[in-house]
Amino acid sequence: MARYNIENDVVVISLERLMRINPELIYQAWTDADVMRRWFMTSNRSNKSIDLIPEEGRRYEIVDERNGKTNKITGVYQELEAPNRIVMTIGMPELSDKEDTIEVEIFEREPGSDITQMNFQYTAVVPKERRWTTLEYKQQKKEYHDSTAHGFENMFVKLQDILTEMQKEQEEF
């Protein structure tokens, strides 16, 4: 007889990105609506609105529309330590009343170097269905992990392109 799960479990996704971007600009990408609308869960073309005030305890909201479908992304900035640390929640209220957690650490790889490291950690609860065996649930968690990590990696490629362009513009002045 198959053994069934009795509790939801947590999936943690940890990603590291090295960029030739100053830490302040990376921090700005997570806290400035004009920059965030270009890469975080949306794009300039699909973003309908973004409402945020980068202060601890303040809620943010992003409305994205693609192929006639509207998605709302919401969360709360829990910790802001410019330019080195951000902790925020993220959720999609139409899909779940639960929010996941994002932690971002930003620092120079070596003091005085032009390489900045961004450590990203995403923690999510993966709901289980009572009918799943332990093996089926582990497979679901792995699929969730891999597809979510891939989605964030794609966003970070876009982020790096945007920040590289912004940094070049700043250096020209």
Side-chain angles (χ1 to χ4, degrees):
M1 181 179 213
R3 201 170 113 139
Y4 290 92
N5 294 302
I6 56 173
E7 291 184 18
N8 295 337
D9 203 359
V10 171
V11 169
V12 177
I13 298 167
S14 297
L15 303 171
E16 178 183 296
R17 192 110 185 143
L18 299 176
M19 298 183 246
R20 291 189 185 276
I21 307 292
N22 69 57
E24 292 78 15
L25 202 52
I26 297 171
Y27 184 88
Q28 180 184 353
W30 288 92
T31 58
D32 181 291
D34 291 332
V35 181
M36 222 171 165
R37 84 171 59 245
R38 297 172 61 190
W39 74 276
F40 186 73
M41 306 297 289
T42 189
S43 70
N44 262 346
R45 202 171 61 227
S46 62
N47 184 272
K48 294 301 166 199
S49 69
I50 186 166
D51 181 24
L52 70 83
I53 297 173
E55 295 175 0
E56 290 183 7
R58 296 296 293 254
R59 185 160 279 288
Y60 67 88
E61 178 180 281
I62 300 166
V63 178
D64 185 75
E65 188 175 298
R66 295 171 199 230
N67 304 322
K69 185 173 189 258
T70 301
N71 295 308
K72 189 182 289 187
I73 299 97
T74 64
V76 174
Y77 285 107
Q78 295 180 323
E79 293 179 39
L80 293 169
E81 297 172 23
N84 302 110
R85 183 170 163 78
I86 300 162
V87 178
M88 59 198 278
T89 62
I90 181 171
M92 297 181 80
E94 288 88 11
L95 302 177
S96 171
D97 59 348
K98 297 194 183 326
E99 289 187 338
D100 301 328
T101 303
I102 291 174
E103 293 182 49
V104 181
E105 291 185 349
I106 306 160
F107 55 92
E108 289 181 330
R109 181 72 179 231
E110 292 178 22
S113 76
D114 66 342
I115 299 189
T116 300
Q117 182 168 329
M118 180 180 79
N119 292 340
F120 171 86
Q121 184 172 294
Y122 181 81
T123 305
V125 173
V126 178
K128 59 111 182 111
E129 292 187 24
R130 293 191 70 76
R131 63 183 172 82
W132 287 342
T133 64
T134 301
L135 179 60
E136 289 171 324
Y137 186 51
K138 284 181 181 179
Q139 290 171 331
Q140 288 296 321
K141 289 190 316 182
K142 181 173 179 4
E143 287 175 22
Y144 178 85
H145 175 280
D146 293 351
S147 64
T148 303
H150 180 73
F152 279 112
E153 285 286 4
N154 286 340
M155 279 194 294
F156 295 156
V157 167
K158 191 174 178 181
L159 169 65
Q160 188 161 353
D161 290 344
I162 290 165
L163 294 180
T164 299
E165 180 184 308
M166 289 175 64
Q167 187 161 282
K168 282 180 185 175
E169 289 172 5
Q170 287 179 354
E171 290 170 356
E172 288 175 2
F173 288 104

